[in-house]
Amino acid sequence: MFDPIQVLWSPAGAVMPNLGSRALTDVSDGDTPNIRMPIRMLSIDTPEVTARSENGAAKVDAKFLELAGWIEDGKAPVSSKFATYILPRLKTGTAGTLQFEQGSAASAWFKNRINERLTRPTGSKRKLFMATADKAFDNYNRLLAYVSPSYTRKERDTMSRRERATFNLDLVGSGWAAPFILFPNIPGELDLPLYLDLATKAANENRGQYGTENFLPAYEYRMCEKLYSITKKIVDGDSVTGKDRYKWRSRYAADMRDRKLYGPESYMDVPLQYRIWIWPDDVQKAIGALNLIPEPDLVD
C-alpha cells in the first residue's frame, strides 16, 4: 500500500502540442527515439501540388472559371476591388494547371538545391540546421523553422551571409517561393534586407513563377479554393450567413515600407515582397509592436 500523498501544486501549465502519429526512424538510446516529421519553412510559400495530377489540375481550371463567372454575376462574397484584382487570374482558364506545374517545378528545384548544398566536397552529407519560431508548431503539427545546411564555425568564417543563407532564402531567390512573412515570425535585421533584395530580383528577372503573367501565389490559390466552396453553397441556395461568408479570407497585410495596415481584401495594394501578413487575433498586438497605421477604410 502507498502512503497518502499531498499534491502541493496545480499542474496548470501550457498545453503541449499534439504531434499525432509519426514514423520511427531509429533509437539513439533508452530514452531517445528519433522520429520523422514535416517542417513548414517560414516566410515563404511555394505553389501547391494538392491537385495531385494533371487531371486534378484541369478540374481546378474548370472550378476557377466557374468562380470567375459567379464573381462577375455578383454572386460571390467579394468586394469590387478584390474582384477587379482576381478575375484576370481566374479567367486564364489554366489557373489550376499552372499552379500544379509550378508546384512540381518548385519541388524539383528544391530537391536539387538540397542535394547540392548538403553534399560536402568529400561526398558525405551535412546535417540540417534549424531555427524555430516562438510558436514551434502550426495547426498541421509541422515544425515552423528557417532551415539551412549545418556548417562548421571554420566554414562559416569563410562564407558570405548569402553563401550560408537558409533554404528559405534560396527559394525566394529562385522565384519558386513567394515571400510570405507572417507576424510575429519576421526575419532578423541582417536577413530581412537580403530577403527583400532576393525577392525583388526574382520578380524583376522573371524567375520561377514570375515568368508567367497572372500567376496565383499559393496563398491566393488556397483562398480561391475556399471562396469557390463558399460561393457554390450560396449559388446552390444553402444558408451561408455572417462570418461564414468571409472565411475564405482571413489575414491582414502591413506594408513594411510605410507601416500602413490593410484589410483582407486590400492586400494587393502592397507589393508582394513588402507584405507582412497578420492573423486577425494578432492585429492589435502587431499595431503596437510594429507601430502600424490602419487604413481609414480597413475591412473588419
Side-chain angles (χ1 to χ4, degrees):
M1 297 269 314
F2 288 104
D3 291 332
I5 61 173
Q6 178 83 31
V7 177
L8 302 178
W9 69 92
S10 176
V15 177
M16 299 300 290
N18 184 342
L19 293 182
S21 61
R22 290 289 181 269
L24 176 69
T25 58
D26 58 48
V27 175
S28 297
D29 57 34
D31 59 8
T32 311
N34 297 312
I35 64 172
R36 182 177 183 272
M37 65 177 298
I39 299 171
R40 177 60 169 93
M41 296 169 67
L42 291 167
S43 297
I44 66 171
D45 203 15
T46 59
E48 298 285 355
V49 292
T50 49
R52 299 187 181 277
S53 67
E54 292 179 358
N55 287 338
K59 291 179 181 178
V60 177
D61 293 338
K63 286 182 178 180
F64 281 6
L65 274 176
E66 190 173 24
L67 175 59
W70 291 336
I71 291 174
E72 290 179 319
D73 292 342
K75 297 177 180 178
V78 301
S79 66
S80 58
K81 180 177 184 177
F82 183 78
T84 300
Y85 169 78
I86 204 67
L87 276 172
R89 292 157 174 77
L90 298 177
K91 293 176 69 175
T92 61
T94 57
T97 295
L98 178 61
Q99 185 77 190
F100 182 71
E101 290 175 348
Q102 291 186 334
S104 299
S107 179
W109 187 93
F110 186 35
K111 288 175 182 177
N112 288 334
R113 186 60 169 162
I114 281 270
N115 183 64
E116 175 187 344
R117 293 192 65 195
L118 292 187
T119 303
R120 295 188 179 95
T122 60
S124 63
K125 293 292 185 179
R126 304 179 190 277
K127 294 183 178 180
L128 288 178
F129 178 83
M130 291 169 288
T132 59
D134 290 340
K135 178 185 175 184
F137 301 98
D138 68 6
N139 293 334
Y140 300 99
N141 297 320
R142 296 175 298 183
L143 181 67
L144 298 171
Y146 292 98
V147 184
S148 66
S150 182
Y151 296 112
T152 65
R153 180 180 293 275
K154 182 177 180 181
E155 287 175 317
R156 294 196 301 271
D157 287 344
T158 64
M159 302 170 74
S160 68
R161 196 165 194 86
R162 177 66 188 96
E163 290 172 329
R164 63 178 191 271
T166 64
F167 288 113
N168 311 51
L169 279 169
D170 277 350
L171 280 157
V172 168
S174 74
W176 287 121
F180 193 65
I181 296 177
L182 185 60
F183 176 85
N185 300 312
I186 299 173
E189 61 182 8
L190 297 179
D191 289 323
L192 186 56
L194 180 58
Y195 180 96
L196 295 175
D197 180 58
L198 290 173
T200 301
K201 286 182 178 178
N204 290 343
E205 296 174 8
N206 294 321
R207 301 178 193 168
Q209 61 190 329
Y210 298 103
T212 304
E213 188 178 6
N214 287 327
F215 74 95
L216 286 171
Y219 51 81
E220 288 183 352
Y221 177 84
R222 296 190 296 269
M223 285 169 57
C224 289
E225 285 188 310
K226 293 177 182 177
L227 179 58
Y228 175 86
S229 296
I230 291 170
T231 307
K232 188 176 189 309
K233 290 180 180 179
I234 294 172
V235 171
D236 289 344
D238 296 340
S239 177
V240 184
T241 59
K243 291 183 178 180
D244 288 343
R245 295 172 64 89
Y246 301 101
K247 284 185 176 180
W248 61 272
R249 45 84 159 163
S250 57
R251 287 179 292 265
Y252 291 68
D255 189 330
M256 64 178 72
R257 299 170 303 172
D258 58 14
R259 300 180 185 275
K260 289 183 180 179
L261 179 66
Y262 295 83
E265 292 186 58
S266 297
Y267 68 86
M268 71 289 296
D269 288 344
V270 186
L272 188 147
Q273 69 267 36
Y274 294 113
R275 296 170 190 165
I276 297 177
W277 296 95
I278 305 165
W279 290 109
D281 290 346
D282 289 331
V283 166
Q284 291 304 317
K285 181 179 178 182
I287 289 174
L290 303 176
N291 296 318
L292 300 180
I293 306 169
E295 285 293 280
D297 60 347
L298 189 65
V299 179
D300 291 328

